[in-house]
Amino acid sequence: MKPQNYNHLGLYKSLALGCLAMLFAATPLLAQPGTKKKPRRSLLAIPEVERSEVICFALYTVHDNTLKLTAQLYPLESGDDRTVRLEIEKDGKWVEVAKTKVIETGWTAPFRVENWDDTQQRKYRVLHGPKASYEGIIRKNPVDKDEIVVAGFTGNSIQPAHGGDISRQDLIDNVNRIDADVLFFSGDQVYDHNRHYAAWLKFGRDFGEIIKDRPTLCLPDDHDVGQPNLWGENGKISTLSGNADGGYRQPGVYVQEVERAQTSHLPDPVHPRKIGQGIGVYYTNLNWGGIDFAILEDRKFKSGPAGRVPKQGPRPDHIRNPEYDPASVDVDGAVLLGQQQLDFLDAWAADWHQAKMKVALSQTIFCGGAHIHGAANGRLHADMDSNGWPQTGRNKALKSLRKAFAFHYAGDQHLATLFHHGVDEYRDAVWSFCVPSIANLYLRWWEPLEPGANREPGSPEYTGDQLDGFGNKVTNYAAANPEKMPAGNLLNTRAAGFGIVRLNTKTREITMECWPRNVDVTDPSAEQYPGWPRTISQFDNYNPPSWGQIGELTFDVDSPVVQLVDSANGEILYTVRVNGKRFVPGAPKGKTFHVKVGKDSPDTIVIKDAQVGSPAQSVKVK
């Protein structure tokens, strides 16, 4: 949860601010006569650029042989052409592959090129008018690489008090040093609540150098869409200060502009539709390098707590009463991901075509990931801005994710953490890595009042098995807690940084790295935050301590897809592409399962009523 402005904003004032924001978005910011320009606003001044420099940056993805690229332009003048062209280099010559009209609200130019050959790397350039040109590289699909590297970022504050005015060059240099295959910006790319366009241009100036040459995934979060917290509630209009009643503070057209800028280059939405105020839906998946990424919207459909749960603090979303019953806030009808998004996750979990590993990307993690908020004395019992609430929705999401042995990568919390989630027992679901903020404006600490149980030898007392403020089972393995009395370098004392996840499709190992700012990650003497790096197996994402093992299966083909289906009710326990020709299925004791197998799809039952302790078997895969 972030700090809020408690001046009440009525609906009409909200609409007026949104309209003014759109008006200013196309106009360079000028200081009024006799006034002194504030540093925050000067950072967001839209520069007057030459017509040859009117293309600020470009983002792209390639999925299922379709290239989607969005070019972001500075404001065009009245006589400027509204057509933008996309060319690629073939045999030393530039060839036009697409052209598009500029969308003037937000000045974006989205391209779509089908039948894209992702086995080749191509230079591209975006052209406007007679002079403007912006060049980059469309990478080939790295299916031949054993390790896919995903650099993760969150919390791009530009406020000097947070270290936000410090150059991002260290981040740029490190992405180039590791040659990241994918960039993941989990949210809060923009921290100005009324001028997304101006702030987005600055984001592009800061990060365009690395974005232009590799697939980039952006998930707009609360600050991106112009509010302190977000419970989107299917696009309703929020009228309560702090927005805990659910919905959006800014008009729908403002939110649409934000999502067009940040997400129109993503693969096509799985369930394209309009929700309240004409706001779209973008959740989808990206298959790249043998990794299938689920791109989630974990706040767009979430219910607001105000009016739904008893108020137990000065704010409707903060619980200050340590004696409260967590079950009392898990109210009927409260939604997290929503049923359609859960249906998508279940289908995604069972589909392993061209995939060896699964990763879920979202704005934040599925628990209350901090005990202290804002200042060292700001202990908070539970925060409904976290995905620990509503608990039923949280558990549904984790149950869907673990069916795919999916690793979870997220941000937002202003505190880097590493959790192994539990639903029915500790450590029976997926692992989550929350990356640190680029520049940290609102400090948090993971500091339980009691030491965690079952800690690893020598590990800090804040690690181990705990219940979060909502009674959810979590096991902490690392937390990059900031200093209690920050002093000196803003970025270091405020626990700023970024994350790196290395996904090894050969060994099926996942290595998480958590780095502070202004270090060279390739320097052997550079140190990560305490608790990192950490390596887990893909199969650790669904391996409950209480499970046993079915006898080893030996296959006549390499790495088939295996699915276990409950014999009694037909429910899928999990689906996975195994590693090699041998697999020992884990399963709960006392139940029987049909084992289904196929080269790319588990379409054939090869064993009926298998259970823990069943003998090893050889399986022929059709």
Side-chain angles (χ1 to χ4, degrees):
M1 185 71 191
K2 290 81 171 176
Q4 297 180 4
N5 178 357
Y6 279 91
N7 294 325
H8 289 278
L9 271 173
L11 172 60
Y12 293 108
K13 184 175 179 182
S14 176
L15 291 170
L17 285 172
C19 293
L20 285 172
M22 288 183 287
L23 175 63
F24 290 153
T27 307
L29 183 67
L30 301 176
Q32 295 298 315
T35 63
K36 186 177 181 180
K37 193 188 300 180
K38 295 181 180 180
R40 182 174 71 91
R41 288 300 186 186
S42 66
L43 287 170
L44 291 185
I46 300 174
E48 295 183 5
V49 299
E50 298 293 331
R51 296 300 86 188
S52 60
E53 302 296 327
V54 77
I55 304 168
C56 180
F57 72 115
L59 311 94
Y60 76 85
T61 61
V62 177
H63 172 73
D64 197 21
N65 299 111
T66 297
L67 165 68
K68 294 183 71 177
L69 182 148
T70 297
Q72 180 63 63
L73 278 63
Y74 288 101
L76 298 180
E77 297 176 353
S78 59
D80 289 340
D81 191 351
R82 265 45 181 176
T83 300
V84 183
R85 294 105 62 200
L86 176 64
E87 295 183 345
I88 62 171
E89 188 179 57
K90 286 185 177 181
D91 302 322
K93 296 180 179 180
W94 288 104
V95 178
E96 183 177 291
V97 293
K99 62 174 59 176
T100 191
K101 291 290 185 182
V102 174
I103 300 173
E104 296 191 17
T105 305
W107 301 109
T108 54
F111 294 94
R112 178 190 182 90
V113 182
E114 297 183 350
N115 300 314
W116 182 265
D117 181 3
D118 67 3
T119 66
Q120 303 292 321
Q121 177 170 290
R122 295 289 188 188
K123 290 182 180 179
Y124 73 88
R125 66 182 184 184
V126 181
L127 303 173
H128 174 266
K131 296 181 179 180
S133 178
Y134 184 89
E135 295 189 14
I137 296 171
I138 307 293
R139 296 190 173 207
K140 73 172 185 176
N141 194 339
V143 291
D144 56 344
K145 292 182 62 178
D146 290 339
E147 183 180 82
I148 304 300
V149 180
V150 185
F153 308 92
T154 197
N156 184 43
S157 170
I158 63 173
Q159 305 306 318
H162 314 139
D165 59 340
I166 296 173
S167 169
R168 272 60 172 159
Q169 192 59 47
D170 62 308
L171 301 174
I172 302 298
D173 291 343
N174 279 323
V175 166
N176 286 326
R177 286 174 182 132
I178 63 175
D179 193 21
D181 297 286
V182 177
L183 301 182
F184 170 44
F185 292 90
S186 71
D188 298 340
Q189 287 71 248
V190 164
Y191 262 96
D192 190 280
H193 286 185
N194 297 303
R195 304 187 68 235
H196 175 269
Y197 174 64
W200 184 241
L201 288 172
K202 175 167 174 49
F203 172 84
R205 292 193 296 273
D206 286 343
F207 293 102
E209 178 185 336
I210 52 175
I211 288 174
K212 67 183 178 66
D213 293 333
R214 48 183 54 81
T216 300
L217 305 174
C218 288
L219 307 183
D221 203 2
D222 42 20
H223 293 286
D224 298 286
V225 298
Q227 54 198 76
N229 294 294
L230 177 61
W231 298 268
E233 224 170 293
N234 285 289
K236 64 173 280 196
I237 297 172
S238 171
T239 59
L240 186 68
S241 178
N243 313 115
D245 55 331
Y248 290 82
R249 167 186 179 271
Q250 292 283 12
V253 290
Y254 186 96
V255 179
Q256 292 171 52
E257 180 183 332
V258 170
E259 294 191 350
R260 188 162 54 244
Q262 296 202 23
T263 72
S264 61
H265 69 289
L266 297 179
D268 294 344
V270 173
H271 298 136
R273 66 189 189 280
K274 298 294 184 183
I275 58 173
Q277 303 187 75
I279 297 168
V281 169
Y282 63 81
Y283 63 83
T284 186
N285 70 302
L286 170 74
N287 194 312
W288 193 247
I291 312 296
D292 194 3
F293 298 92
I295 301 167
L296 301 181
E297 297 187 75
D298 47 340
R299 289 186 155 137
K300 180 168 282 182
F301 312 102
K302 185 176 178 179
S303 303
R308 259 191 189 88
V309 298
K311 189 176 179 181
Q312 302 191 63
R315 288 162 38 170
D317 53 319
H318 277 185
I319 295 176
R320 296 282 185 182
N321 172 20
E323 304 301 324
Y324 98 109
D325 177 9
S328 69
V329 300
D330 192 19
V331 294
D332 290 342
V335 169
L336 183 55
L337 295 186
Q339 191 57 52
Q340 283 190 302
Q341 197 165 197
L342 289 170
D343 291 344
F344 154 64
L345 275 181
D346 285 341
W348 171 80
D351 183 0
W352 285 80
H353 288 85
Q354 299 180 332
K356 296 180 180 179
M357 302 173 77
K358 299 269 186 175
V359 175
L361 306 175
S362 72
Q363 285 100 335
T364 196
I365 53 178
F366 293 103
C367 67
H371 298 98
I372 300 175
H373 290 229
N377 62 351
R379 185 166 289 275
L380 181 65
H381 194 65
D383 176 14
M384 294 185 184
D385 178 49
S386 76
N387 278 351
W389 180 85
Q391 299 97 309
T392 295
R394 175 256 188 190
N395 291 337
K396 286 180 179 178
L398 291 174
K399 288 178 180 179
S400 291
L401 291 173
R402 69 186 183 183
K403 290 179 183 179
F405 297 87
F407 170 72
H408 184 217
Y409 203 7
D412 172 71
Q413 288 296 304
H414 302 229
L415 171 65
T417 54
L418 183 57
F419 286 103
H420 193 176
H421 294 277
V423 178
D424 301 310
E425 61 181 296
Y426 286 102
R427 303 178 301 283
D428 71 353
V430 305
W431 287 67
S432 286
F433 177 23
C434 178
V435 300
S437 292
I438 292 169
N440 211 350
L441 81 162
Y442 184 66
L443 301 183
R444 288 189 173 103
W445 289 261
W446 174 258
E447 194 173 286
L449 293 172
E450 299 292 335
N454 301 311
R455 301 191 306 279
E456 295 179 319
S459 62
E461 289 191 348
Y462 59 74
T463 63
D465 295 342
Q466 296 276 355
L467 296 176
D468 72 3
F470 296 106
N472 298 310
K473 296 178 176 66
V474 294
T475 303
N476 179 270
Y477 287 91
N481 289 321
E483 298 177 13
K484 286 292 180 66
M485 297 290 290
N489 185 299
L490 281 171
L491 295 180
N492 293 337
T493 59
R494 299 184 75 87
F498 73 108
I500 298 172
V501 171
R502 301 177 184 273
L503 301 151
N504 193 307
T505 58
K506 184 176 182 179
T507 65
R508 305 295 180 86
E509 290 182 328
I510 302 165
T511 299
M512 296 151 279
E513 303 176 10
C514 188
W515 292 97
R517 293 287 305 274
N518 292 317
V519 300
D520 177 352
V521 301
T522 61
D523 184 344
S525 66
E527 294 185 359
Q528 300 183 42
Y529 281 112
W532 286 273
R534 180 102 192 181
T535 298
I536 64 172
S537 165
Q538 168 190 18
F539 299 99
D540 290 337
N541 287 295
Y542 197 15
N543 187 24
S546 65
W547 275 14
Q549 294 180 337
I550 296 173
E552 182 180 66
L553 306 179
T554 305
F555 308 103
D556 60 341
V557 300
D558 187 61
S559 302
V561 176
V562 174
Q563 183 179 83
L564 265 65
V565 180
D566 192 312
S567 303
N569 56 28
E571 291 183 2
I572 295 173
L573 181 67
Y574 59 73
T575 313
V576 69
R577 185 179 293 280
V578 304
N579 190 18
K581 292 186 175 183
R582 296 178 181 275
F583 180 59
V584 180
K589 299 172 183 177
K591 291 188 173 184
T592 60
F593 297 90
H594 299 328
V595 180
K596 301 177 70 176
V597 180
K599 290 182 179 179
D600 288 305
S601 178
D603 45 23
T604 303
I605 295 177
V606 295
I607 304 174
K608 289 187 175 182
D609 298 325
Q611 57 185 321
V612 170
S614 291
Q617 296 196 41
S618 295
V619 175
K620 290 186 177 181
V621 181
K622 294 182 179 179

